[in-house]
Amino acid sequence: MAELRTYQPSFTAGELSPALGARVDLAKYATGLRTAINLFIHPHGGASNRAGTEFINEVKASANNARLIPFQFNTQQSYILEFGQAYIRFYRDGGVILSGGVPYEVGTFYLHTEVDDIVYIQEADVMYLCHPEHPVLKLSRLADNNWVLAVVTFAPSTVAPGGLAVSALVGSGATSYSYVVAAVDGETGEESLPTPPVTVSNDLTINGNKNRISWSAVAGAGRYIVYKHDNGVYGYIGGTQGLFFDDDNIVADLADTPQTGRNPFVGAGNYPRCGTFVEQRLALASTKNDPQAIWLSQSANYENFGYSQPSKASDAVTFRIKARQVNEVRSMLALKGLMVLSSGAEWIVSGGSNSDAITPSAIKIDNQGYRGCAKVQPIVVGNTVLFAQRSGGVVRDFSYQFSDDAYVGKDLTILARHLFENRTIKAWAYAQAPYSIAWVVLDDGSLVSLTYLKEHDVWAWTRHQSGPNDDAVFEDVVVIGDGNEDVPYFLVRRTINGVSKRYIERLHTRVFATIEDAFFVDCGLSYVGSPVTTISGLGHLEGQSVVALADGNVVRNLTVTGGKITLQNAASKVHVGLSMEASLQTLNLDLGQVQGLGTVQGRQKSVSEVTLRVENTRGIFLGPYDGDRGSEHLVEYRQRSTEAWNEPIAMFTGDVTMTPAWDWNTNGTMWVKQFDPLPMTILAIMPDVTIGR
């Protein structure tokens, strides 16, 4: 027999796949877990149970699919947009925006079966919506309850001058002269399309002869440009802020011509599926008819795809990603130029070594790999791109390496393949503050999270469950900034009183000063006020068994009846919702090559005592792994033996020593669980183990 104390000081590898159960040679084995449910891993190493979710609202029609899209103007003005069957609803500060006492809505032509394929790109108060079955839409915010949705026409917003006329101001002759005029917006600098041509006869080769071109004023125009026909082309002859221009035989500059209007996105089959902003241009890509094509708008004129001949540096740009296979472009990002992710490969588009920007005459396309991208849009963490591969449920990080002069990355799911086998990513969102976590919804309705900190080589997966039988189906997730935190919002399908409901729920903050403010219930609500025994307003949980934290005390075995619950003792701060169980299980105990014992893998072991280093924790259950027998052999750490209702037990930080149920087995693993709506943070686990020979 040998008695040893072991020590796991970190959990930064997260939950590892069962296939790695024998890979004690991996460095991440020492910081991994066999099970991590309803936990997240701190970048510095500890593991905490996640906060609960607040009920926000039921979607308009729970029988139909819905989609959440974030709209964030700044950290003080953030919205969640609910897309459903031909409508958009709007949420702010955790509540639905009303107009006339009912939810404010804007109509759309998206079917509820189509909303998952919407790709959105936002700048300030404007969001562009792309869908391969519909024209591009522009959603503009004017006020909380005043939004405008319109089809984008992709034409210059500046109109051409009207009333164009030309006359021979001085002289006469038989030579025909033709002119067009364009207006230039005084604020944006955008040039309008040219007017229809006007023609006059004169002989400007005679000294003193002149033609006068005149036009009507255009609202907002700061300047007008005049072009003259020469050898089949209209070329620049001058500009003015006035309403007329005199031509005394000015030679046309045929290198500077008026723009030709173009809308490449007209008609079924020509609607782009994705877009982004890059180098002050709107980039749209991949129609059904041309899946490898990419269009860039004019510089600083997002809805103008016009061009000139010969081209100007500010003109719209069109190009195609040529490859061995016809792979549709699925995502684009502005990162070291334009990153293009297609169904078969990854590319970087730039202006090349001789240009600082992409222009019609400067386009360089460099391949970065042949992994292929799924339809879900990538997320950016710092200067690193996380994207889902086309197949296999693989998530890769992708960042520029100077030594390779290319984007390279690794498979972030290789250590947790069991979470992604036969699954694909349906939606995900990144919450940078405070814990650097990507929340990932899979196509089977499960929810996992990834704590990612590239500079410290931290990537840790955990999984999350909700509902009385872990039967909640997660369908979407988005993140918006709210004060000092990035807050995830989930679309969750639950069965309530035998009826399927789709709820919008917000992850509660995990920052709280006292135990009374701890919120660790799902689909929950809070009451704050004078002491009461009846809590109402719980109709969204009708018939459900719920749990409450009332003035810091756990109240179990409650049922919502008539939208209410009744407490045995009055309380002034109550959090009510579905219970949430957090579980942490260690990997098979490994001590390396212990002198005189060799490997301890496969040997009989017994854990006699466990010391947990905890932070701001209350309510821990611990016990050995015992197969499918669940929590039969778990013991509870009791911070005190008597319960005083008016004095809730405070959170504890320090070392907690517990004696688990006696057991001999070959794994030496331990469960640490939290069944109650209370905080739990485990910083380290230190079992005292006896090893048999």
Side-chain angles (χ1 to χ4, degrees):
M1 296 287 185
E3 294 184 357
L4 300 167
R5 164 159 288 198
T6 63
Y7 183 46
Q8 183 168 350
S10 169
F11 310 102
T12 51
E15 182 172 313
L16 301 185
S17 170
L20 298 176
R23 291 299 309 274
V24 296
D25 59 315
L26 289 175
K28 287 190 175 290
Y29 189 95
T31 59
L33 294 168
R34 176 181 288 191
T35 304
I37 299 176
N38 287 330
L39 301 169
F40 68 90
I41 307 301
H42 292 269
H44 52 262
S48 292
N49 59 336
R50 67 166 173 85
T53 62
E54 301 173 77
F55 172 76
I56 301 300
N57 197 38
E58 182 180 358
V59 301
K60 181 179 181 180
S62 281
N64 292 335
N65 186 40
R67 168 85 184 278
L68 303 181
I69 289 179
F71 188 105
Q72 184 153 342
F73 180 75
N74 55 36
T75 55
Q76 286 75 43
Q77 299 177 70
S78 301
Y79 302 84
I80 295 295
L81 279 51
E82 174 197 328
F83 282 70
Q85 179 72 21
Y87 75 89
I88 310 173
R89 280 185 173 181
F90 305 85
Y91 297 81
R92 182 176 179 182
D93 299 330
V96 62
I97 293 175
L98 304 177
S99 179
V102 298
Y104 174 72
E105 292 185 6
V106 170
T108 75
F109 43 53
Y110 296 127
L111 303 177
H112 73 96
T113 54
E114 297 176 326
V115 295
D116 286 339
D117 292 325
I118 297 172
V119 174
Y120 57 89
I121 47 178
Q122 182 189 348
E123 184 190 57
D125 269 333
V126 174
M127 175 178 282
Y128 292 92
L129 304 171
C130 301
H131 194 288
E133 300 293 342
H134 299 286
V136 177
L137 296 179
K138 180 169 70 173
L139 180 65
S140 303
R141 181 194 72 144
L142 304 180
D144 281 358
N145 59 353
N146 187 4
W147 300 67
V148 176
L149 187 67
V151 175
V152 183
T153 57
F154 294 111
S157 58
T158 306
V159 299
L164 186 67
V166 62
S167 61
L169 183 64
V170 178
S172 62
T175 303
S176 180
Y177 299 92
S178 184
Y179 303 90
V180 297
V181 178
V184 178
D185 189 278
E187 182 175 346
T188 66
E190 182 183 38
E191 182 177 330
S192 73
L193 295 176
T195 61
V198 292
T199 304
V200 67
S201 295
N202 201 346
D203 186 358
L204 297 182
T205 61
I206 299 175
N207 190 31
N209 284 2
K210 294 181 182 180
N211 292 334
R212 172 162 289 185
I213 308 99
S214 61
W215 54 86
S216 302
V218 174
R223 189 165 175 263
Y224 302 91
I225 298 177
V226 182
Y227 299 92
K228 183 167 69 174
H229 188 270
D230 184 6
N231 197 28
V233 179
Y234 284 92
Y236 173 86
I237 61 171
T240 178
Q241 293 180 332
L243 298 179
F244 67 88
F245 184 88
D246 292 341
D247 175 20
D248 57 358
N249 203 27
I250 301 172
V251 177
D253 181 1
L254 301 185
D256 189 354
T257 61
Q259 65 172 311
T260 300
R262 179 184 58 161
N263 182 358
F265 313 115
V266 176
N270 294 318
Y271 305 132
R273 75 178 67 246
C274 64
T276 191
F277 295 109
V278 60
E279 297 178 357
Q280 299 298 304
R281 300 175 186 263
L282 172 63
L284 299 172
S286 190
T287 64
K288 285 188 172 182
N289 293 336
D290 206 344
Q292 293 178 292
I294 298 174
W295 295 266
L296 274 62
S297 72
Q298 289 189 359
S299 180
N301 297 318
Y302 295 150
E303 297 175 20
N304 190 340
F305 284 78
Y307 62 94
S308 306
Q309 291 181 335
S311 63
K312 303 174 184 177
S314 61
D315 278 353
V317 182
T318 301
F319 60 94
R320 286 163 182 81
I321 302 290
K322 298 295 185 181
R324 293 173 296 178
Q325 299 177 342
V326 178
N327 296 310
E328 66 183 25
V329 175
R330 289 180 167 174
S331 304
M332 297 187 293
L333 292 167
L335 205 66
K336 202 177 184 296
L338 177 65
M339 178 178 287
V340 178
L341 303 176
S342 74
S343 56
E346 300 82 52
W347 311 83
I348 290 292
V349 181
S350 67
S353 59
N354 297 322
S355 175
D356 293 329
I358 302 171
T359 69
S361 59
I363 303 173
K364 186 173 184 288
I365 305 173
D366 294 314
N367 177 259
Q368 307 295 309
Y370 291 94
R371 304 287 185 179
C373 179
K375 289 185 178 181
V376 64
Q377 296 301 292
I379 56 181
V380 179
V381 181
N383 60 356
T384 299
V385 176
L386 305 186
F387 74 93
Q389 282 187 198
R390 179 187 69 250
S391 57
V394 174
V395 174
R396 302 193 72 87
D397 63 359
F398 211 43
S399 60
Y400 180 76
Q401 296 292 328
F402 181 80
S403 58
D404 298 315
D405 192 25
Y407 276 79
V408 297
K410 58 181 175 290
D411 180 353
L412 296 179
T413 56
I414 187 68
L415 301 181
R417 293 300 304 144
H418 64 300
L419 301 180
F420 299 91
E421 289 175 351
N422 300 317
R423 299 173 184 173
T424 59
I425 294 176
K426 182 181 180 184
W428 59 354
Y430 174 63
Q432 176 172 287
Y435 305 116
S436 189
I437 295 177
W439 296 90
V440 184
V441 172
L442 302 177
D443 61 347
D444 66 345
S446 58
L447 176 69
V448 296
S449 65
L450 168 67
T451 301
Y452 182 78
L453 207 64
K454 179 181 175 64
E455 58 267 36
H456 294 288
D457 199 33
V458 173
W459 77 92
W461 292 98
T462 61
R463 49 196 166 109
H464 302 270
Q465 299 171 344
S466 182
N469 299 305
D470 302 327
D471 57 357
V473 177
F474 290 87
E475 296 188 332
D476 203 1
V477 58
V478 296
V479 168
I480 60 172
D482 186 358
N484 294 324
E485 295 191 21
D486 295 325
V487 181
Y489 282 71
F490 302 100
L491 181 62
V492 188
R493 190 170 78 244
R494 300 183 182 275
T495 300
I496 305 297
N497 236 5
V499 179
S500 180
K501 301 283 188 179
R502 282 184 165 94
Y503 290 158
I504 298 172
E505 302 176 27
R506 176 174 69 177
L507 189 69
H508 196 279
T509 180
R510 211 183 180 282
V511 178
F512 49 89
T514 64
I515 192 64
E516 289 87 348
D517 295 318
F519 192 103
F520 289 90
V521 294
D522 277 347
C523 200
L525 289 174
S526 297
Y527 167 81
V528 179
S530 57
V532 295
T533 56
T534 300
I535 308 295
S536 58
L538 301 172
H540 67 288
L541 293 175
E542 183 66 30
Q544 301 300 295
S545 176
V546 297
V547 64
L549 189 70
D551 287 342
N553 298 288
V554 178
V555 185
R556 307 181 184 92
N557 303 319
L558 299 170
T559 301
V560 178
T561 304
K564 303 176 182 179
I565 61 166
T566 300
L567 303 173
Q568 184 176 358
N569 299 284
S572 59
K573 184 174 288 186
V574 184
H575 312 295
V576 185
L578 301 173
S579 62
M580 177 185 71
E581 178 183 315
S583 302
L584 177 153
Q585 184 191 3
T586 59
L587 290 165
N588 285 10
L589 195 63
D590 179 61
L591 305 176
Q593 298 294 323
V594 179
Q595 187 174 6
L597 294 177
T599 180
V600 299
Q601 294 297 306
R603 291 180 178 271
Q604 289 289 317
K605 308 173 189 70
S606 177
V607 178
S608 58
E609 199 168 68
V610 178
T611 299
L612 301 174
R613 186 156 295 162
V614 302
E615 180 183 30
N616 294 329
T617 295
R618 183 181 140 193
I620 299 176
F621 293 79
L622 180 139
Y625 173 75
D626 55 358
D628 298 326
R629 288 183 290 171
S631 59
E632 292 179 16
H633 295 184
L634 297 183
V635 296
E636 180 182 5
Y637 177 74
R638 297 183 179 275
Q639 290 179 239
R640 69 184 185 198
S641 59
T642 59
E643 190 76 13
W645 181 262
N646 59 347
E647 295 181 8
I649 302 172
M651 297 176 288
F652 177 74
T653 296
D655 288 351
V656 171
T657 299
M658 302 176 66
T659 302
W662 181 87
D663 188 39
W664 278 94
N665 55 54
T666 59
N667 51 67
T669 66
M670 281 288 125
W671 281 106
V672 181
K673 292 193 175 186
Q674 174 61 278
F675 298 102
D676 292 325
L678 297 169
M680 178 182 75
T681 296
I682 309 298
L683 301 179
I685 183 168
M686 296 165 272
D688 291 336
V689 57
T690 301
I691 302 171
R693 292 185 179 273

